[in-house]
Amino acid sequence: MVYQTSPSVRVLKSRGHSTTFNLRNLEHDWYPVWNEVFIDIKSLLSNVYIYPQYFLWLRDSKDLPPALRQKMLEHLDPNEHGVTRDLDDADRALLPLLADFEDSDVSRLLSSSNPVDGDTSFGSAITVTGSEKDLKPDFSFMHLTSALLGEARANSAYATNRANYKILHECHFAICEVKGAPSRHLSNSVEELHNAFYIAQNDLGMYANMYFLAGGGLQRDELLLWACVGAHWTWTFVSREEVPAWDWVTGSFASGSDIQMFRRRFSRVFELCTPESDQEINHLITHYFQPDQIHEQAR
Ligand SMILES: [Zn+2]
C-alpha cells in the first residue's frame, strides 16, 4: 500500500496550469485533478468511497440554534415555508432511512400523509433549499460497510435494486474543499495562495459546524479537513470542540480566540506530484484512512 502520483494526476495537473486548456484559470479545472487523486487513494483502501459534491444536510431541525434556523428559513421558497409538502425525488433520494428499512417500511414512510416537518420545512428529510451551494463540500470520503443480501431476496426486484448488497453503515470522515490556483502572475501568487487557503479554511470551518450539527449518518466527533488551492493542499484533523463556532447569520466565524488556532492547524502546505506530497498522502492513508482508524477515538 503505497500511494504514488499517477501519470493521470500529472497530466491533469499540467492541464490545470495550462493557459491554453484552462484559459480562464477556473476552480472547476482542478476538480478532475483532485478527483483522480482521491480515486487513486480510494483504490488503496477498503470500504472507502469518494463522494463528490457531498450534501451536508439536516435530518432534524429541532435542536438547531435559533440563528441557524433563521438563516435556513431565509433561503427557503416562501411558498414552501411552513407548509407541509409532498416528498419530491430529491427527498426520496436523501431519505436516510431507506438503506436500513425493508420495502414495506419505505412504502409506509413515503405514503405517510405528513412526511416532512411542516414547522421548519427544512427539517426531517428535506434538503436545505437555496443554501445548497454553501453546504456542498467538493468531496467527501465516505466509509460504507455492507453485506450480501440473503438467499431469500435472490432474484427479486429488491435485490436488483440493491445490486445484491445491503448497506449496514455509512459515515463521512474527511471533507475536502477545492479552490482554483492563484493567477499565473508569479509575483502575486504567494499572497493569492494564502488568500485562497484562508477562504477554503472558512468554508471548511462552516462545513465542520454543519457536519457536527447535522448528524446525517455521521455520529462522529472527529473530522479530517482537506483544503486544496490548485495543486497545493493542506489538511488538519479536528474534534468537535476544536472547530470555532460559525455564525450563520453573518456568514463568518463567531468571534473568539479559537479562530486563529484553527487557522494555524493548516500550517503545512504540499504541492501535488512532489515526493513530499506523496509521502504526506501516504501518511494520511496509513494513519487516518484505515477502517479501524476511521472509528478510533484516541490517537
Ligand atoms: Zn464509518
Side-chain angles (χ1 to χ4, degrees):
M1 183 199 62
V2 178
Y3 175 88
Q4 267 196 314
T5 296
S6 65
S8 300
V9 171
R10 291 182 192 279
V11 168
L12 289 167
K13 179 186 175 187
S14 177
R15 180 186 172 281
H17 278 301
S18 164
T19 49
T20 306
F21 297 99
N22 181 10
L23 191 60
R24 294 168 58 197
N25 197 26
L26 296 175
E27 172 180 322
H28 280 69
D29 278 291
W30 292 94
Y31 294 165
V33 184
W34 287 101
N35 187 61
E36 200 72 18
V37 171
F38 295 150
I39 293 295
D40 287 348
I41 292 174
K42 175 251 175 320
S43 73
L44 298 168
L45 297 163
S46 34
N47 296 339
V48 169
Y49 302 84
I50 306 304
Y51 191 146
Q53 297 276 291
Y54 173 52
F55 202 166
L56 279 168
W57 59 285
L58 298 167
R59 267 189 180 181
D60 191 337
S61 60
K62 290 187 178 62
D63 300 324
L64 281 181
L68 173 56
R69 186 165 182 275
Q70 183 193 333
K71 187 72 179 172
M72 294 298 175
L73 288 170
E74 285 170 11
H75 287 284
L76 288 174
D77 181 336
N79 295 323
E80 292 187 355
H81 173 59
V83 178
T84 300
R85 64 173 179 76
D86 292 333
L87 288 173
D88 59 22
D89 287 346
D91 294 331
R92 286 174 212 277
L94 286 167
L95 260 184
L97 302 171
L98 292 179
D100 302 314
F101 280 69
E102 300 300 333
D103 282 354
S104 56
D105 297 313
V106 172
S107 307
R108 186 173 50 74
L109 277 169
L110 293 181
S111 64
S112 161
S113 60
N114 187 22
V116 175
D117 178 355
D119 175 44
T120 59
S121 289
F122 58 88
S124 48
I126 195 177
T127 57
V128 185
T129 314
S131 308
E132 295 175 3
K133 179 179 144 294
D134 300 328
L135 298 168
K136 276 186 190 161
D138 292 320
F139 294 94
S140 161
F141 281 70
M142 177 167 64
H143 174 230
L144 289 182
T145 61
S146 58
L148 280 168
L149 285 176
E151 284 294 318
R153 292 282 192 178
N155 303 319
S156 66
Y158 180 87
T160 305
N161 219 337
R162 294 298 183 80
N164 290 325
Y165 278 93
K166 180 181 178 71
I167 304 301
L168 302 174
H169 160 85
E170 169 179 341
C171 72
H172 295 252
F173 59 91
I175 278 178
C176 170
E177 182 64 17
V178 177
K179 300 295 178 199
S183 71
R184 281 101 173 187
H185 301 291
L186 289 177
S187 56
N188 300 333
S189 64
V190 171
E191 194 185 338
E192 286 184 15
L193 191 67
H194 180 265
N195 290 344
F197 271 124
Y198 186 92
I199 295 167
Q201 288 164 9
N202 285 354
D203 288 350
L204 288 168
M206 177 179 68
Y207 295 147
N209 269 263
M210 178 59 85
Y211 175 93
F212 289 127
L213 272 176
L218 309 166
Q219 295 159 354
R220 294 169 50 82
D221 287 321
E222 301 169 317
L223 181 62
L224 197 140
L225 302 174
W226 189 319
C228 310
V229 175
H232 289 85
W233 65 280
T234 179
W235 67 277
T236 189
F237 188 77
V238 289
S239 66
R240 185 184 290 266
E241 297 74 28
E242 288 163 338
V243 181
W246 187 258
D247 184 329
W248 296 94
V249 173
T250 62
S252 59
F253 284 117
S255 56
S257 58
D258 51 349
I259 302 170
Q260 287 315 313
M261 214 143 49
F262 177 73
R263 295 198 187 284
R264 277 199 294 272
R265 302 177 70 92
F266 298 90
S267 57
R268 296 165 66 218
V269 174
F270 304 89
E271 181 174 0
L272 279 180
C273 309
T274 63
E276 296 75 26
S277 173
D278 282 9
Q279 201 177 351
E280 191 68 4
I281 289 174
N282 264 313
H283 176 77
L284 291 178
I285 290 173
T286 312
H287 296 283
Y288 290 88
F289 291 179
Q290 298 302 312
D292 58 335
Q293 294 159 349
I294 291 170
H295 291 283
E296 190 179 271
Q297 290 306 307
R299 209 171 285 277

